[in-house]
């Protein structure tokens, strides 16, 4: 009886707070029929927002991939002074409000910021342009990959790498042939999460982007503008695209977990025990 | 290849992992580095293998200074306790790894690699497993794959870090004997790190006992067991009974037993203790020796262990004696029985201050 109550409560909560809003998004988007939906999505401004969002994700995610792997590697495989400070720093974007993250970049790269004069003199636009959006997105999404990899790498230890080196492999060979295959599932998972967040980021991007339609409007910003103009159908249409991207990401994650059941549990357990259970 | 360590010191922060170690490993030796965790044995192994750089001192390979050689140039085969097999590769690919990563000029052709890997798998009796993944093998099998992989690069030295530590005792025993045979056939120099004194004594031809980053004693297994140079070594290598040595009127006693005749006791004012192994205690009729009461009897296969409370000794500190099953069958000691103890051997050390 108690169990049933718990399950019903959880399901009800999920429905009201997660499923219902999602349904509303799609229902609203399609409220005036498919034609209006298509027109809203294919409107030049909307389409520009989609392209910008994909571009930003395409730049920010690979860069965070490289930084994330490097940071996780350093933390998991080496001991050095300031290691705990580095771990705290990686978590900083989780702790700081995205709006503040955006403000930081305005402060540094804005017209009156530290590098403002230099940048203007060289005709480089960072704030209110694509570079600023990419920077803000990277800042906000930085922890996802590193956070995902650190426990994986820590649980795996250094034995594999040391063995590869003792067998005569170079550093690169060790990374490509031993380390990367060992972390590939965790890495993919981190990339998916990072990508989802990169496409959906609103706060930080909103501050640095300056809301220039068709130029610096990403999808979340575009949704907001449409909404503020009482253009609900168009707003929900673009929102539904964003929601669709999120759902695809979740589906991808589920497929990963289904293909590699150890992904979620193996991470925190000594590997041999899970391995044996797995075989 | 012979290995020599000269004055090797390694600190981790304030903590000295190994301190001023001198050690010679002759070509073809199978040496065991024995010690508790934290004794510095693994650090020493990692310094020899090039996974750590010593703060001071030199590592010599065949007389050449190899202290700063990169790991890949040392031609050492490593075997770890947790096997460290590449789990996304098959057994074949694991063993072939060291050959495939060689520079283009030195890399053997694909058929040559295949032949070599098959030879090695035959050597470790795992030919049937070449397309299995590590996850599909038992612990003992995985460790044999790890060994084959290490041997693929024709190492001059094999370094084994607690290689059998994760295996159950049956498999462990088999693998030890198998390693010993393999070593005798192939004659490479091997160093094995272990915390298990039985393993060290069983498998190695030289045992190095480490304590707090320093060498306590080096010797062949019999010697280190029979002639321990310190109470620490004596205690480490097996069960011991500890009894105070009493000095009265210029004579030395263990309990009522006069040991002055053995004449190894300095009859100075220093406090001494005698260490006696359980099998060195002879148990007989109550009329002879140090009278005692049998507190417990445990039959363990071929041996029988008796807990004995000697007269004048506290009851919660019984002595442990081991006698053969045959002797036990003849005497039939029972709990509560009065017996007499005599000591076949003992060693006297100054008591720690």
């Amino acid at each position: 009886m108690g169990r049933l109550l718990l399950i019903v409560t959880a399901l009800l909560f999920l429905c009201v707070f997660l499923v219902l809003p999602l349904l509303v998004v799609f229902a609203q988007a399609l409220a005036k029929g498919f034609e209006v939906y298509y027109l809203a999505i294919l409107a030049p401004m909307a389409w520009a927002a989609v392209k910008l969002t994909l571009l930003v994700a395409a730049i920010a995610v690979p860069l965070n991939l490289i930084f994330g792997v490097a940071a996780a590697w350093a933390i998991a495989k080496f001991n050095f002074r300031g290691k705990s400070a580095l771990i705290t720093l990686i978590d900083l974007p989780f702790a700081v409000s995205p709006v503040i993250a955006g403000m930081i970049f305005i402060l540094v790269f804005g017209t009156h910021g530290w590098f403002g004069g230099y940048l203007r003199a060289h005709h480089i636009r960072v704030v209110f342009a694509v570079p600023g959006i990419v920077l803000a997105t990277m800042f906000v999404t930085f922890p996802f990959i590193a956070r995902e990899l650190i426990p994986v790498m820590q649980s795996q230890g250094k034995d594999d790498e040391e063995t590869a080196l003792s067998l005569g492999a170079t550093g690169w060979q060790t990374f490509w042939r031993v380390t990367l295959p060992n972390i590939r599932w965790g890495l993919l998972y981190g990339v998916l999460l990072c990508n989802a967040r990169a496409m959906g980021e609103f706060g930080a991007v909103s501050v640095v982007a300056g809301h220039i339609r068709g130029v610096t409007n990403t999808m979340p910003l575009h949704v907001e503008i449409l909404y503020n103009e009482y253009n609900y159908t168009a707003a929900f249409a673009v929102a539904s695209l964003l929601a669709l991207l999120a759902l695809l990401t979740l589906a991808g994650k589920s497929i990963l977990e289904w293909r590699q059941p150890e992904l979620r549990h193996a991470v925190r357990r000594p590997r041999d025990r899970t391995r044996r259970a797995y075989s | 290849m012979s290995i020599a360590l000269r004055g090797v010191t390694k600190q981790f922060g304030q903590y000295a992992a190994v301190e001023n170690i001198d050690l010679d490993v002759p070509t073809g030796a199978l040496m065991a580095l024995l010690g508790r965790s934290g004794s510095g044995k693994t650090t020493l192994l990692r310094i020899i293998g090039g996974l750590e750089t010593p703060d001071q001192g030199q590592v010599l390979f065949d007389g050449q200074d190899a202290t700063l050689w990169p790991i890949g140039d040392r031609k050492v085969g490593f075997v770890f306790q947790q096997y460290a097999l590449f789990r996304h590769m098959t057994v074949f690919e694991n063993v072939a790894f060291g050959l495939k990563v060689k520079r283009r000029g030195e890399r053997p052709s694909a058929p040559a690699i295949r032949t070599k890997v098959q030879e090695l798998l035959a050597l470790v009796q795992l030919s049937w497993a070449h397309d299995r993944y590590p996850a599909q093998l038992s612990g003992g099998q995985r460790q044999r794959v790890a060994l084959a992989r290490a041997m693929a690069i024709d190492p001059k030295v094999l370094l084994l870090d607690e290689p059998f530590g994760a295996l159950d005792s049956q498999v462990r025993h088999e693998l030890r004997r198998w390693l010993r045979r393999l070593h005798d056939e192939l004659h490479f120099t091997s160093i094995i790190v272990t915390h298990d004194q039985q393993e060290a004594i069983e498998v190695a031809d030289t045992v190095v006992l480490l304590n707090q980053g320093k060498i306590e004693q080096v010797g062949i297994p019999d010697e280190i067991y029979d002639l321990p140079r310190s109470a620490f070594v004596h205690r480490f290598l097996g069960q011991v009974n500890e009894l105070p040595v009493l000095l009265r009127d210029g004579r030395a006693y263990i309990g009522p037993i006069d040991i002055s005749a053995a004449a190894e006791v300095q009859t100075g004012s220093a406090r001494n203790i005698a260490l006696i192994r359980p099998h060195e205690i002879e148990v007989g009729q109550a009329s002879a020796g140090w009278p005692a009461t049998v507190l417990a009897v445990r039959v363990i296969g071929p041996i029988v262990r008796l807990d004995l409370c000697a007269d004048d000794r506290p009851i919660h500190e019984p002595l442990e004696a081991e006698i053969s099953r045959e002797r036990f069958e003849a005497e039939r000691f029972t709990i509560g029985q009065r017996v007499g103890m005599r000591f076949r051997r003992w060693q006297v050390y100054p008591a720690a201050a």
Side-chain angles (χ1 to χ4, degrees):
Chain A
M1 187 60 211
R3 193 174 62 168
L4 194 72
L5 199 73
L6 261 177
I7 294 172
V8 168
T9 314
L11 278 181
L12 218 66
F13 190 85
L14 275 177
C15 282
V16 172
F17 285 93
L18 292 174
V19 180
L20 210 61
L22 208 60
L23 288 177
V24 168
V25 168
F26 285 100
Q28 279 285 335
L30 296 167
K32 292 182 183 165
F34 278 102
E35 204 172 328
V36 180
Y37 181 78
Y38 285 132
L39 282 178
I41 286 176
L42 295 177
M45 292 303 158
W47 195 231
V50 172
K51 281 197 288 189
L52 181 61
T53 298
L54 293 178
L55 174 71
V56 169
I59 299 171
V61 174
L63 285 175
N64 269 346
L65 176 86
I66 294 168
F67 295 148
V69 170
W73 182 299
I75 285 167
K77 313 261 168 173
F78 298 103
N79 274 318
F80 53 91
R81 212 175 279 231
K83 183 161 144 173
S84 52
L86 183 59
I87 296 173
T88 314
L89 262 180
I90 288 174
D91 280 342
L92 189 70
F94 277 157
V96 170
S97 159
V99 177
I100 295 171
M103 303 275 279
I104 292 167
F105 288 105
I106 299 271
L107 198 69
V108 176
F109 298 110
T111 318
H112 303 289
W114 294 347
F115 300 115
Y118 175 87
L119 291 172
R120 203 169 23 181
H122 290 81
H123 304 289
I124 302 169
R125 289 194 64 95
V126 175
V127 168
F128 307 140
V130 176
I133 300 174
V134 171
L135 282 176
T137 306
M138 278 179 62
F139 180 89
V140 173
T141 57
F142 181 76
F144 286 92
I145 291 172
R147 268 283 144 202
E148 199 59 40
L149 287 183
I150 288 169
V152 178
M153 286 182 145
Q154 271 174 341
S155 79
Q156 289 176 349
K158 293 192 284 191
D159 286 1
D160 284 14
E161 280 79 11
E162 288 179 341
T163 304
L165 291 175
S166 79
L167 290 169
T170 62
W172 268 118
Q173 284 172 323
T174 304
F175 177 73
W176 286 109
R177 297 183 186 211
V178 175
T179 307
L180 202 59
N182 272 346
I183 60 170
R184 59 190 159 179
W185 298 112
L187 187 62
L188 251 171
Y189 187 71
V191 166
L192 276 179
L193 282 182
C194 178
N195 185 54
R197 185 64 199 269
M199 292 192 300
E201 174 53 26
F202 177 81
V205 171
S206 164
V207 176
V208 294
H211 299 264
I212 307 167
R213 274 198 195 208
V215 182
T216 64
N217 255 0
T218 60
M219 283 165 76
L221 300 187
H222 193 64
V223 171
E224 195 212 11
I225 288 184
L226 291 172
Y227 181 79
N228 287 343
E229 290 168 350
Y230 304 103
N231 194 348
Y232 293 136
T233 311
F236 279 108
V238 177
S240 74
L241 266 190
L242 209 50
L244 203 66
L245 286 174
L247 287 178
L248 281 177
T249 306
L250 281 180
K253 169 186 163 276
S254 304
I255 291 170
L256 275 186
E257 281 175 3
W258 170 71
R259 278 203 46 185
Q260 201 72 7
E262 69 193 303
L263 179 62
R264 297 315 301 160
H265 343 281
V267 169
R268 264 135 222 143
R269 272 193 241 150
R271 114 182 92 151
D272 273 295
R273 211 165 305 152
T274 50
R275 276 274 147 185
R276 207 166 301 150
Y278 193 44
S279 64
Chain B
M1 183 171 63
S2 72
I3 300 167
L5 302 179
R6 295 284 173 260
V8 167
T9 297
K10 176 77 184 176
Q11 296 239 334
F12 292 115
Q14 289 298 308
Y15 168 72
V18 291
E19 238 181 300
N20 202 16
I21 298 275
D22 290 305
L23 185 64
D24 285 285
V25 189
T27 309
L30 203 176
M31 183 179 273
L33 301 179
L34 176 65
R36 296 205 180 96
S37 60
S39 62
K41 56 191 194 302
T42 296
T43 305
L44 212 53
L45 192 81
R46 292 171 63 84
I47 286 172
I48 295 169
L51 295 174
E52 304 279 357
T53 315
D55 298 331
Q56 277 167 42
Q58 281 182 311
V59 180
L60 306 177
F61 281 11
D62 276 337
Q64 274 183 298
D65 187 352
T67 316
L68 298 174
W69 287 5
I71 318 164
D73 294 352
R74 293 188 186 214
K75 290 251 174 195
V76 295
F78 254 103
V79 176
F80 291 96
Q81 178 174 6
Q82 295 296 334
Y83 328 120
L85 291 182
F86 307 134
R87 68 199 97 150
H88 60 285
M89 299 183 196
T90 61
V91 166
F92 180 91
E93 289 166 331
N94 263 285
V95 178
F97 184 87
L99 302 169
K100 286 186 178 166
V101 295
K102 280 183 193 278
R103 262 179 247 108
R104 192 156 296 183
E106 301 163 23
R107 195 189 311 151
S109 66
I113 290 179
R114 182 158 285 277
T115 314
K116 171 119 195 200
V117 171
Q118 272 156 0
E119 274 172 29
L120 286 163
L121 286 178
L123 185 71
V124 299
Q125 298 149 21
L126 282 171
S127 302
W128 55 273
H130 73 279
D131 55 357
R132 301 286 177 100
Y133 283 88
Q136 297 168 303
L137 302 179
S138 72
Q141 291 164 345
R142 285 185 221 181
Q143 200 55 297
R144 300 209 306 260
V145 175
L147 207 61
R149 179 180 62 181
M151 290 194 301
I153 56 165
D154 292 320
K156 297 191 172 131
V157 193
L158 202 54
L159 303 177
L160 306 113
D161 188 2
E162 301 263 8
F164 312 133
L167 304 170
D168 51 50
S169 67
Q170 199 82 36
V171 180
R172 197 142 110 187
H173 181 71
E174 273 168 37
L175 275 187
R176 267 182 216 157
R177 294 185 52 192
W178 175 80
L179 177 71
R180 182 69 236 188
R181 279 203 307 278
L182 201 69
H183 181 268
D184 291 340
E185 272 170 40
L186 302 179
H187 302 295
F188 39 75
T189 309
S190 313
I191 303 176
I192 179 169
V193 158
T194 177
H195 65 272
D196 179 346
Q197 85 280 356
Q198 187 141 16
E199 182 161 289
I201 287 172
E202 215 177 297
V203 84
D205 39 44
T206 313
V207 175
V208 178
L209 185 58
L210 288 155
N211 182 31
Q212 294 180 339
K214 296 195 180 99
I215 294 178
E216 284 276 339
Q217 190 167 348
V218 182
I220 60 170
D222 293 356
E223 178 185 303
I224 209 164
Y225 187 83
D226 291 337
L227 300 169
R229 218 174 286 154
S230 64
F232 175 84
V233 178
H234 202 133
R235 287 192 193 104
F236 196 90
L237 287 172
Q239 294 297 319
V240 286
N241 294 294
E242 299 198 22
L243 290 167
V245 176
L246 307 169
L247 301 174
R248 273 196 310 266
D249 312 326
R251 301 192 71 80
Y253 297 89
I254 305 175
I257 301 173
D258 188 340
I259 58 166
S260 312
E264 29 179 277
V265 189
Q266 301 114 13
T267 43
S269 59
R271 288 191 339 109
N272 290 308
I273 51 163
L275 300 190
I276 307 158
R277 296 204 186 280
H279 66 86
E280 292 166 348
I281 299 182
E282 228 166 80
V283 187
Q285 297 303 315
S287 50
W290 188 354
T293 310
V294 178
L295 294 181
V297 178
R298 277 183 309 263
V299 181
I300 307 161
I303 60 160
V304 177
R305 207 168 280 162
L306 304 174
D307 279 359
L308 303 169
C309 181
D311 290 7
D312 316 323
R313 294 271 305 159
I315 192 149
H316 58 271
E317 288 176 27
L319 302 182
E320 200 176 71
E322 265 176 24
I323 58 175
S324 70
R325 184 71 174 267
E326 289 75 18
R327 179 146 168 66
F328 177 73
E329 305 282 344
E331 300 275 347
R332 281 283 156 202
F333 295 111
T334 51
I335 294 172
Q337 188 178 337
R338 298 284 293 161
V339 293
M341 294 188 304
R342 267 178 299 183
F343 303 138
R344 216 173 291 136
R345 278 188 80 224
W346 61 85
Q347 288 253 54
V348 176
Y349 302 96

